[in-house]
Amino acid sequence: MSRNLYGEACYWRATMQPARMFLWDARLAPVVLLTMLHLRLWTVCLAAIVLIAGLVLQSRGMSPPSALRRIRAALAGRRRRATSRPVRKAASWIDECGDGWRWDAASCRPVRPPRWMRSASAKLERLAAGRKLDS
């Protein structure tokens, strides 16, 4: 057990260091365990390759989870969508009632929108009508 700056006992969980197994990050322990359970030449070679790659990544300052994230990002490519669903068309809730009025949840009745909103929606309608004529 080591001591911190103030002479108090410093436990591993308080150091924010990753758990280690000899030289390697402890998150590589399942590779060693699987090699011990299925002791064949190819599993030993695979475990050696994984442990050496872990040392190389550790020397570059990467942990196993960050290396897997980097591989996943490389496979995904630079351009990707935020969702897997198709993009919906934008919905305008300015005219919920369909007659220029909008529903006010506080008073539970339709109310006339403010003047600035009416002028903005009229400008948007004129703009949309103009684009329909151009195309």
Side-chain angles (χ1 to χ4, degrees), residues 75-135:
L75 291 175
R78 294 180 56 83
R79 295 184 64 204
R80 57 183 177 223
R81 294 172 50 102
T83 62
S84 59
R85 295 183 299 205
V87 179
R88 287 187 337 172
K89 289 185 177 180
S92 173
W93 300 104
I94 293 174
D95 188 15
E96 291 180 34
C97 300
D99 56 357
W101 293 57
R102 62 188 181 125
W103 187 260
D104 185 26
S107 62
C108 294
R109 63 184 177 86
V111 294
R112 189 169 174 85
R115 181 179 295 165
W116 67 269
M117 194 177 289
R118 284 182 289 199
S119 64
S121 62
K123 288 177 185 176
L124 285 174
E125 288 172 5
R126 283 195 301 261
L127 182 64
R131 285 192 179 163
K132 286 181 183 175
L133 293 174
D134 292 339
S135 59

